[in-house]
Amino acid sequence: MHPIYKLLIIGALLMSSVLLPAQNLEDLKITATFEATPTAEVLSTIQATHPVAFYFRSEDLPSAPVSITFQETPLPEVMNRLLAPGGLEYLIYRDYGIVIFPANYLTANYTADFYQALDQQLSGGADPGNQDPDRTIGSLETMRPSGRARISGQILDNQTEEPIIGATLFFTDINAGTATDVDGNFQIEVPSGRHDLSIEYVGYQKIIESVAVLGDGELRVRLEKEAVNLEEVLVKAEALDVNVESTQIGVEQLDVKSINKLPSFLGEVDVVKSLLLQPGVSTIGEGAIGFNVRGGEVDQNLIMQDDGMLFSSSHALGFFSSFNTELISFVTLYKGNLPAQFGGRLASVLNVEMRDGSFRDYRLKGGVGLVSTKVSFEGPVVKEKSSFITGFRSSYSDWVLNFVKLPEIRRSSAKFYDLNFRYTHRLDEKNTLSLAAYSSHDRFTYNELFGFDYNTLMGQAIYKKIFSDDLFSKLSFTASRYESTQLDLDGADASELDNNITYYKIREQLTYTPSRELQWDAGISSILYQVEPGAISPLGNLSQVIPGELEKEQGLESAAFLNGNWTLSPAFSISGGLRFAAYQFLGPKTVFEYADPENPSGENVVTTTRYNNGKVIAAYTSLEPRLSMRYRLGPSASVKAGYSRTSQFINLIANTNTPTPNSLWQLSTDYIRPLRSHNFSVGYFKNFDNNNWETSLETYGRLIDDLFDYKDFADLTMNDQLETELLGGIGRAYGLEMSVRKREGIVNGSLSYTLSRTERQVEGINEGNWFPSNFDKPHDLSMVFNFQPNQRYTLTFNFIYGTGRPTTAPIGSYVEVNDLVVPIYSDRNQLRVPDYHRLDLAFTMGQSHKVNKKVKTSWTISLYNIYGRANAFSVFFTQRPFNTPRANKLSVLGNVFPALTFNFETI
Amino acid sequence: MQGSGNRGSWWILLLGALLLVAGCLSEIDLEVPEAADTSIAIRGRLNVGEMPRVSIRITDLAGFNASSIPQPVSGASVVLIDEFDRGVDVPMVRPGIYELDLSTGTSGVEVRPGRAYRLSVSTAAGENFVSDFETLYPAPEPAELRYISTRRDVLNEVNNIVNREFVRFLLTTPVVAAGSNDRSYLKWEFTGTYKFPESVVASPFPPGARTCYITERLQLEDVVTFDGSRIDGNVLRDFFILEEPFDYRFSNGFYLTVRQQSLSERAFRYWQEVGKVVDLSGNFFETPPGKVKGNFQNVDEPEKEVFGFFYAYSETIVRLYVDPGNEPPMPFCPLTTASISSVDTTCLNCLLRSGSTLIRPAFWEE
């Protein structure tokens, strides 16, 4: 509808409702005579002499004068006789106004809901008995022909200006609601009119107000943190059933508050350790780098910090994760069923979004622990316009080493730090630019004999633009470099071995929301990888190492994607899309040619081929459908199903119990094919007690149609024929995940259990039979129990149980001529290490919840591994001449680990 | 390579220390599957060196359980065959052990570098096995063996930090043998011989006290090898081959004997794999163990697994005397406690020691 007509209708009727006395226009009788009078003048005369007002565009009225007589003629008849010849129609609104339009305009474009809504709006405004609304959204001018209005906006923390993720907006009178997304944004479509709106989030004061929704508009709300007492904790507001309602299956979302509550190792709260409490997520033990999702290997997880990928997600060989929780906005883990926006890994996406600094106030926050300290500082650069946030973590564990009796340890050193910085500039209301930098460094040396040294440097620029209420854009550019060095400081092998990877990534994503039932996400991305697979140089006078360097490699991974979220009915919704990925392995490089390319070996090299810079050595494409469906079985239950095809063009080469910082990232080549998998999930979700209890039952399957494993005794270091050490195969993983979660209350927590298998079949290993993967854990259980009698004290327990991971055992031995006992090992992974279990406790006290207190402090005491279980990381076997053979277990942690952390925060 | 085998253990200690307590190693009971069938293990080596001989040991496999002892396979027919298909029988000298002294010459088979040999074994049970051919390569003569002393803090037997001395042996050797153009795949074996008086006190020796010469294998559980192609030049200089604590063994003189062996590439790989499976500690970064593949085949049932390896090597020997110096370390004898009743009985009768003799070795010079 042309805006001027809206104005005619709305403005005129508003005016008429105020100025004219009440009377039924259809009963109004007109008596008047006009001779050769323009229509506009006829209308003006009637308006002047009768209680009616006309609104029209003069150019719509016929220019020819009319001669006409009315004698006690009803107004509808007057209008018909006057307007019909000119092809005009009219609208009688209530008792006072008539709006004139070209014929058929109104009926063709406006629904009954429009008039009903309009009626409600105007009557509400006209009735002096109605109270004024607390808030008015939009205007009648922006009302849609459907009579509905789309409200978009953001919920923020009033003090810090941080977006609040997962805050709920609920229109109680029409039983409609939504929740804020990762940026604190929301969008909802409701009927125009007066509504009762409730906005709430745990730990914040609830807002309940009356809103007049006139048309499309924005709503920006700041919530105040609340001073909570015991009674308030007990109040359980009705929460949204996000787990039941969402279309996507296999998603775990963590908020920072939950992460901070959990018991932590040496007092350092950790994102990855929190993920391990979720069903389908496991690890092979303490000290292992990374995590396994639904039977996927560690490198099959895409680790994202904003739009940048991290190749090293941990410090201190896996004991701490790379993420500084002080700077995290939210954490989402997609398990297997990835939306089309994500790709490049088989198993999962861990999406860690960092937050902006406060646009209003300066704020300092930190924690001091036994071996590490973290601090963050944020505030406005230009108030309400631009902000910064920076965070720093560092370890200082060397003093601990001096308490250790072993001299070798006293001569050792272990340090790490990481630094985050983010600057956000609101160019205007619709454009935002963020610049982010991340740097981390780890260094270990042992007994001045050897060590590891690894660094990550990453920079990102993210530009967000709002084109309209329907259309958003996010453009990002990332550049990152990961460097690792293995130091051997003594003996004939003394050397420095480097391998590095650099990538440049550009990504654009458009989000289009034409209606509340439909949302499209489309975009493109491209990543240029540059890998330096190895350079070695001797160290010291005794070194026999020959300096050398493997040729650099590069690859280009590009993708285009389209994903739609479509609510077909209140019960049924679909999230589906397509991702097209194209990968090219590029020169310059010299490639070995083998007599049998399917079974390359050092002995059957035929020749070598030289490829120049940029020349395509190998190319692969992958068309990846993604689909997730939800069907509601009632107000608190749903079933979901999902499928996704995924592929992976870069892999971690690590034939060890766990990847090392120096493990090589290897691009797919002409011999090392990309990994590909089909992922399936089906789940049932049911909530109880106003969504305070969440339960779910999910089953999943994954078929990997291209994977590789390692030959026995594979030599992976400084090997320019890596393909000769690998064997191709297929894999499968399947399982059942169950979880129960109580969200709030004095006692809350969760229980997760996963029953699963992960197997592979590789020609050349175990006679080509299926065998369990290194991280196959049939039973995996975790429990979290929170006791929070008030907001000052929190007591948390968590318990972990898992089947021991597979290992390979000797089944016999023989004695060599020189009396050396040589064990004979069974087929791969035929035995298991003993089962894993552990109980932890954390007690946080002194949390102040006085809103006006400027500095808040708290202490956290944690006990990790309370009953001192010496869980086996691995088992190995020793047999000496003439002695009994022995099985030994290696336990990384054999005792309870206490920790004390002091936390502070300025407001 | 020297040192690499212990890296994982060090890591564990480091990580344990970081966590305020050392990670722990402990024995556990595990139900380990038994070998599926009665496989056989044949180990043979043809040595051309100070005492040229061919030695073969044939047993069945030992199960993992302590009660399972490998049984010797006696009565087998063992033949050493050269590349011209000439053979010589190798007689059984003890149950399961077959040896032939090559120093007096053999009829029909000439053993010398550059030629290839293999073994044929026929058991009394009628099974026939044959190894791949192994080429005999000449061994380079080591140019120098020396030692240096180092001191560092270690934990002693009762968990106290003490500063102790270690002897580090360094070898310099060409990696190309005389008359050869090929770089050698080298492997070393070590024995230590020390003088051991029957006394628990430093001085004076009791009347009638005897002096034994005790020879022990050193670093039995490690395999020390080097690929000669890994260096730029033709000489491997000051290669750190062995370290021993400077203890009572060095009090009255110590001889280190280094046997330098030159292997084929295949044999070198075999020993590298053996080195990996005998030196496991279960640490984070350890390569998972696998089956060490030998070079024997069952002639009649090729799919049936046969374990063990036959290889031929030349050997050169170098010895080094370690002077005890002016201040010999105490105690002379490895006392376990201050109480005389707990003294190692070998302190009173040195011949009780394995590898002990009262005859001074021919190489011993003071």
Side-chain angles (χ1 to χ4, degrees):
Chain A
M1 186 182 204
H2 195 285
I4 195 67
Y5 295 128
K6 295 182 185 175
L7 287 175
L8 286 171
I9 296 170
I10 297 160
L13 296 181
L14 281 171
M15 290 298 294
S16 66
S17 67
V18 173
L19 299 175
L20 300 176
Q23 188 174 347
N24 189 342
L25 282 186
E26 292 188 353
D27 297 336
L28 183 64
K29 302 292 193 297
I30 306 295
T31 299
T33 299
F34 302 97
E35 290 294 338
T37 308
T39 305
E41 190 177 324
V42 172
L43 296 171
S44 297
T45 304
I46 295 172
Q47 180 175 295
T49 55
H50 296 80
V52 63
F54 297 102
Y55 297 91
F56 52 85
R57 295 197 311 173
S58 56
E59 62 265 31
D60 290 340
L61 300 181
S63 55
V66 296
S67 298
I68 194 165
T69 297
F70 303 115
Q71 184 64 42
E72 288 295 306
T73 308
L75 183 60
E77 184 182 336
V78 169
M79 298 312 297
N80 285 332
R81 289 172 58 191
L82 193 62
L83 301 180
L88 299 173
E89 287 186 341
Y90 65 95
L91 164 69
I92 297 176
Y93 180 70
R94 292 174 64 87
D95 300 327
Y96 311 107
I98 288 181
V99 184
I100 297 168
F101 294 95
N104 301 322
Y105 194 96
L106 290 176
T107 53
N109 292 280
Y110 286 79
T111 66
D113 289 342
F114 171 83
Y115 300 108
Q116 183 182 347
L118 190 61
D119 179 70
Q120 187 191 357
Q121 299 289 353
L122 297 174
S123 63
D127 186 350
N130 283 357
Q131 290 183 346
D132 289 337
D134 298 315
R135 191 189 297 268
T136 300
I137 299 171
S139 65
L140 291 173
E141 184 183 351
T142 57
M143 187 188 297
R144 294 177 171 237
S146 63
R148 304 178 72 83
R150 182 181 298 160
I151 305 169
S152 55
Q154 194 177 30
I155 310 295
L156 305 167
D157 181 302
N158 189 44
Q159 290 171 327
T160 65
E161 286 276 301
E162 289 173 25
I164 299 176
I165 304 156
T168 58
L169 294 88
F170 201 74
F171 291 87
T172 53
D173 56 322
I174 56 174
N175 204 31
T178 188
T180 53
D181 66 10
V182 297
D183 294 320
N185 294 322
F186 69 90
Q187 191 175 70
I188 188 170
E189 201 171 288
V190 297
S192 296
R194 184 75 65 88
H195 298 297
D196 296 323
L197 173 63
S198 164
I199 303 173
E200 65 179 304
Y201 187 70
V202 176
Y204 289 83
Q205 292 176 12
K206 185 177 181 178
I207 290 178
I208 298 175
E209 57 186 28
S210 169
V211 293
V213 180
L214 301 182
D216 289 358
E218 290 191 357
L219 176 62
R220 195 176 172 89
V221 178
R222 290 187 170 86
L223 296 184
E224 285 282 359
K225 280 184 177 156
E226 62 185 350
V228 185
N229 59 29
L230 177 60
E231 288 70 29
E232 285 168 323
V233 173
L234 286 170
V235 172
K236 170 66 191 76
E238 186 174 11
L240 283 182
D241 52 349
V242 176
N243 61 320
V244 171
E245 174 64 18
S246 69
T247 308
Q248 197 71 34
I249 190 170
V251 181
E252 304 290 347
Q253 287 193 316
L254 299 180
D255 64 83
V256 176
K257 288 186 174 62
S258 303
I259 296 171
N260 285 336
K261 273 189 206 172
L262 292 172
S264 54
F265 183 68
L266 291 181
E268 182 71 29
V269 293
D270 189 277
V271 169
V272 173
K273 296 291 183 292
S274 303
L275 286 173
L276 296 176
L277 300 173
Q278 311 303 317
V281 187
S282 63
T283 178
I284 62 169
E286 279 102 356
I289 289 177
F291 55 94
N292 306 99
V293 178
R294 289 185 171 176
E297 293 198 43
V298 167
D299 67 334
Q300 293 172 5
N301 306 315
L302 180 62
I303 313 292
M304 303 282 291
Q305 181 166 308
D306 292 326
D307 271 9
M309 295 178 294
L310 286 177
F311 286 106
S312 171
S313 61
S314 63
H315 290 298
L317 303 173
F319 282 98
F320 305 103
S321 80
S322 296
F323 303 107
N324 185 344
T325 53
E326 302 293 351
L327 283 79
I328 289 175
S329 176
F330 80 103
V331 179
T332 305
L333 178 70
Y334 296 93
K335 299 183 293 187
N337 286 93
L338 315 181
Q341 295 93 311
F342 297 107
R345 296 292 187 279
L346 290 195
S348 78
V349 175
L350 175 63
N351 190 25
V352 179
E353 288 281 345
M354 312 304 281
R355 64 185 178 85
D356 294 331
S358 172
F359 287 85
R360 301 175 74 189
D361 304 301
Y362 293 100
R363 187 178 174 201
L364 182 67
K365 193 174 180 185
V368 181
L370 290 174
V371 296
S372 66
T373 284
K374 60 184 175 184
V375 63
S376 65
F377 182 54
E378 62 185 298
V381 178
V382 177
K383 210 161 187 176
E384 304 289 359
K385 186 79 174 173
S386 58
S387 76
F388 73 94
I389 182 167
T390 185
F392 179 73
R393 287 192 303 169
S394 179
S395 69
Y396 36 84
S397 51
D398 284 2
W399 70 272
V400 177
L401 302 184
N402 288 326
F403 282 93
V404 178
K405 212 163 188 180
L406 281 173
E408 294 89 340
I409 301 299
R410 297 164 73 119
R411 286 192 291 269
S412 303
S413 175
K415 295 173 182 170
F416 75 81
Y417 74 77
D418 60 35
L419 174 67
N420 279 278
F421 180 80
R422 184 182 179 93
Y423 170 78
T424 306
H425 188 79
R426 292 173 178 163
L427 302 170
D428 54 40
E429 286 189 350
K430 294 183 182 296
N431 296 280
T432 304
L433 176 67
S434 297
L435 302 173
Y438 171 75
S439 171
S440 76
H441 172 77
D442 272 74
R443 184 177 175 85
F444 290 85
T445 57
Y446 174 78
N447 198 19
E448 298 163 6
L449 288 178
F450 72 95
F452 279 124
D453 203 341
Y454 54 105
N455 310 295
T456 297
L457 190 62
M458 183 167 73
Q460 295 187 73
I462 302 169
Y463 175 58
K464 293 179 182 176
K465 182 176 181 63
I466 302 172
F467 290 104
S468 67
D469 289 347
D470 303 336
L471 187 62
F472 305 88
S473 162
K474 183 181 179 186
L475 173 67
S476 65
F477 175 77
T478 308
S480 178
R481 181 171 173 82
Y482 175 68
E483 299 177 337
S484 69
T485 300
Q486 182 175 314
L487 299 165
D488 206 328
L489 301 169
D490 194 33
D493 282 336
S495 60
E496 177 179 318
L497 174 64
D498 301 316
N499 71 59
N500 311 312
I501 179 168
T502 303
Y503 76 84
Y504 304 94
K505 177 185 177 185
I506 187 164
R507 186 175 189 272
E508 162 65 19
Q509 179 173 335
L510 287 171
T511 301
Y512 177 56
T513 313
S515 72
R516 65 171 180 157
E517 291 86 11
L518 183 61
Q519 176 179 304
W520 291 105
D521 290 290
I524 53 173
S525 69
S526 194
I527 308 168
L528 176 65
Y529 298 103
Q530 295 176 332
V531 178
E532 297 158 42
I536 193 165
S537 54
L539 289 178
N541 296 329
L542 296 181
S543 177
Q544 307 293 338
V545 171
I546 305 172
E549 183 175 1
L550 297 181
E551 194 169 16
K552 297 181 176 65
E553 297 177 346
Q554 59 178 348
L556 182 66
E557 179 185 346
S558 302
F561 59 86
L562 176 68
N563 197 79
N565 293 292
W566 191 12
T567 304
L568 295 167
S569 72
F572 187 52
S573 64
I574 293 177
S575 173
L578 200 60
R579 183 181 181 89
F580 176 73
Y583 169 80
Q584 294 172 317
F585 183 56
L586 301 171
K589 187 167 177 62
T590 299
V591 174
F592 291 90
E593 309 284 349
Y594 299 92
D596 180 4
E598 292 299 312
N599 297 293
S601 70
E603 292 79 36
N604 68 11
V605 173
V606 176
T607 184
T608 59
T609 304
R610 179 68 189 171
Y611 290 85
N612 293 328
N613 189 22
K615 179 96 174 175
V616 177
I617 302 169
Y620 302 94
T621 59
S622 177
L623 192 61
E624 301 169 3
R626 311 284 175 84
L627 180 67
S628 198
M629 298 177 291
R630 183 265 292 151
Y631 186 78
R632 287 200 80 126
L633 299 175
S636 61
S638 65
V639 290
K640 301 180 191 179
Y643 165 79
S644 69
R645 174 75 161 159
T646 52
S647 56
Q648 181 166 334
F649 304 102
I650 185 167
N651 306 287
L652 201 55
I653 300 296
N655 187 24
T656 46
N657 287 321
T658 179
T660 70
N662 200 240
S663 296
L664 171 68
W665 285 93
Q666 173 65 50
L667 294 166
S668 293
T669 69
D670 41 349
Y671 297 109
I672 304 173
R673 287 194 295 266
L675 311 187
R676 301 171 197 271
S677 72
H678 298 277
N679 305 279
F680 312 89
S681 305
V682 177
Y684 174 74
F685 301 82
K686 171 73 176 171
N687 289 357
F688 302 92
D689 186 23
N690 288 330
N691 302 317
N692 195 27
W693 286 84
E694 295 177 351
T695 64
S696 68
L697 185 68
E698 280 187 64
T699 180
Y700 69 86
R702 168 178 296 138
L703 301 174
I704 304 175
D705 41 6
D706 268 317
L707 58 71
F708 61 80
D709 210 322
Y710 304 93
K711 293 179 179 176
D712 282 344
F713 309 107
D715 182 8
L716 306 176
T717 304
M718 291 292 292
N719 188 343
D720 58 357
Q721 292 176 270
L722 210 53
E723 58 272 11
T724 64
E725 304 291 337
L726 308 178
L727 297 166
I730 58 176
R732 65 188 180 196
Y734 47 93
L736 182 69
E737 299 172 356
M738 289 172 270
S739 76
V740 178
R741 181 183 175 208
K742 184 171 184 286
R743 291 159 57 109
E744 294 181 7
I746 286 181
V747 176
N748 60 70
S750 63
L751 170 67
S752 302
Y753 170 71
T754 305
L755 175 67
S756 67
R757 293 307 307 268
T758 304
E759 299 166 315
R760 51 183 52 194
Q761 185 179 40
V762 179
E763 199 62 43
I765 300 176
N766 294 5
E767 292 81 44
N769 297 319
W770 286 97
F771 67 97
S773 299
N774 291 337
F775 36 89
D776 177 52
K777 293 175 74 175
H779 302 283
D780 193 10
L781 177 132
S782 66
M783 286 192 292
V784 178
F785 173 87
N786 288 312
F787 177 65
Q788 191 171 11
N790 56 51
Q791 285 292 300
R792 286 186 62 80
Y793 303 104
T794 307
L795 182 66
T796 303
F797 288 92
N798 65 253
F799 175 74
I800 312 285
Y801 169 83
T803 310
R805 69 183 181 86
T807 190
T808 305
I811 54 174
S813 66
Y814 61 89
V815 181
E816 257 300 344
V817 178
N818 59 356
D819 291 337
L820 195 65
V821 178
V822 181
I824 297 169
Y825 278 85
S826 68
D827 284 347
R828 197 173 290 185
N829 289 349
Q830 297 301 297
L831 194 73
R832 287 186 182 275
V833 306
D835 291 350
Y836 180 102
H837 51 89
R838 193 189 79 228
L839 178 67
D840 312 322
L841 175 150
F843 180 58
T844 301
M845 59 185 172
Q847 303 168 100
S848 172
H849 292 273
K850 293 178 181 175
V851 174
N852 56 359
K853 191 167 183 178
K854 292 298 180 189
V855 179
K856 295 181 179 179
T857 58
S858 65
W859 291 88
T860 300
I861 302 167
S862 64
L863 296 173
Y864 190 91
N865 195 19
I866 287 176
Y867 51 78
R869 161 86 171 171
N871 285 299
F873 177 83
S874 60
V875 295
F876 62 99
F877 304 85
T878 53
Q879 190 173 24
R880 303 290 180 244
F882 320 113
N883 284 330
T884 303
R886 295 179 303 172
N888 307 276
K889 71 173 179 180
L890 170 69
S891 304
V892 179
L893 309 177
N895 289 306
V896 58
F897 284 86
L900 179 66
T901 306
F902 173 69
N903 305 296
F904 61 91
E905 178 180 1
T906 65
I907 302 299
Chain B
M1 289 291 292
Q2 178 72 27
S4 61
N6 290 327
R7 183 171 302 159
S9 310
W10 294 343
W11 268 113
I12 291 308
L13 292 172
L14 170 60
L15 292 171
L18 287 176
L19 309 173
L20 292 173
V21 63
C24 56
L25 288 171
S26 52
E27 282 189 42
I28 53 171
D29 293 323
L30 279 179
E31 193 173 323
V32 175
E34 288 294 327
D37 53 25
T38 53
S39 301
I40 194 169
I42 308 171
R43 293 80 76 195
R45 59 178 177 179
L46 173 62
N47 168 16
V48 180
E50 196 175 55
M51 297 176 63
R53 68 176 50 230
V54 57
S55 310
I56 299 99
R57 185 182 296 188
I58 308 173
T59 62
D60 62 9
L61 292 186
F64 182 77
N65 295 325
S67 58
S68 177
I69 298 171
Q71 296 300 309
V73 175
S74 300
S77 167
V78 179
V79 183
L80 175 69
I81 302 170
D82 67 9
E83 56 195 1
F84 306 107
D85 212 22
R86 295 176 299 211
V88 56
D89 288 335
V90 182
M92 186 174 81
V93 294
R94 290 191 300 277
I97 296 177
Y98 303 78
E99 282 185 359
L100 180 64
D101 185 352
L102 301 174
S103 60
T104 56
T106 57
S107 58
V109 173
E110 185 184 2
V111 178
R112 61 185 174 94
R115 293 203 172 162
Y117 307 86
R118 67 176 181 177
L119 283 182
S120 172
V121 175
S122 298
T123 67
E127 289 188 297
N128 299 298
F129 305 93
V130 64
S131 75
D132 294 337
F133 274 109
E134 272 286 301
T135 301
L136 181 64
Y137 290 96
E141 287 279 350
E144 183 189 14
L145 177 63
R146 66 187 185 97
Y147 70 90
I148 55 176
S149 280
T150 61
R151 299 193 73 89
R152 62 174 182 267
D153 291 343
V154 294
L155 283 185
N156 66 8
E157 295 74 11
V158 290
N159 244 12
N160 289 324
I161 296 176
V162 292
N163 188 267
R164 286 211 170 141
E165 186 176 2
F166 290 81
V167 185
R168 183 176 281 199
F169 295 95
L170 307 173
L171 180 77
T172 297
T173 179
V175 294
V176 177
S180 172
N181 294 321
D182 298 324
R183 287 170 180 264
S184 302
Y185 293 98
L186 298 174
K187 176 176 178 292
W188 292 276
E189 292 179 2
F190 314 101
T191 52
T193 304
Y194 56 96
K195 196 156 72 171
F196 188 84
E198 280 178 344
S199 175
V200 294
V201 294
S203 180
F205 289 148
R210 298 174 297 178
T211 296
C212 289
Y213 293 89
I214 300 172
T215 300
E216 295 175 342
R217 279 191 175 143
L218 303 176
Q219 204 147 316
L220 184 58
E221 290 140 19
D222 283 335
V223 178
V224 186
T225 57
F226 189 81
D227 176 356
S229 64
R230 285 184 50 197
I231 55 173
D232 274 337
N234 285 338
V235 178
L236 176 63
R237 298 186 188 282
D238 282 337
F239 183 58
F240 170 28
I241 52 171
L242 177 71
E243 185 177 77
E244 290 289 314
F246 193 67
D247 54 17
Y248 70 92
R249 296 173 299 166
F250 293 84
S251 299
N252 292 283
F254 180 95
Y255 260 99
L256 174 70
T257 300
V258 177
R259 297 174 184 277
Q260 177 165 291
Q261 303 169 355
S262 180
L263 310 180
S264 69
E265 181 182 0
R266 177 84 189 276
F268 179 79
R269 305 289 170 222
Y270 170 79
W271 280 107
Q272 278 200 318
E273 292 180 4
V274 169
K276 289 177 180 173
V277 296
V278 299
D279 188 28
L280 294 176
S281 58
N283 72 74
F284 290 84
F285 313 117
E286 197 163 77
T287 301
K291 282 185 182 175
V292 177
K293 290 196 169 42
N295 63 349
F296 281 95
Q297 296 86 42
N298 186 316
V299 175
D300 307 309
E301 300 176 79
E303 70 284 354
K304 194 170 181 181
E305 285 185 307
V306 187
F307 296 96
F309 200 89
F310 166 72
Y311 66 107
Y313 64 93
S314 301
E315 184 176 81
T316 53
I317 294 175
V318 60
R319 292 189 174 87
L320 177 68
Y321 180 69
V322 181
D323 197 310
N326 295 327
E327 296 180 14
M330 288 292 288
F332 276 18
C333 195
L335 292 169
T336 52
T337 70
S339 165
I340 193 70
S341 62
S342 300
V343 172
D344 188 336
T345 51
T346 59
C347 297
L348 306 175
N349 181 0
C350 63
L351 287 176
L352 292 176
R353 279 280 174 111
S354 176
S356 180
T357 177
L358 296 173
I359 302 169
R360 190 171 75 177
F363 57 79
W364 194 283
E365 294 178 1
E366 293 186 42

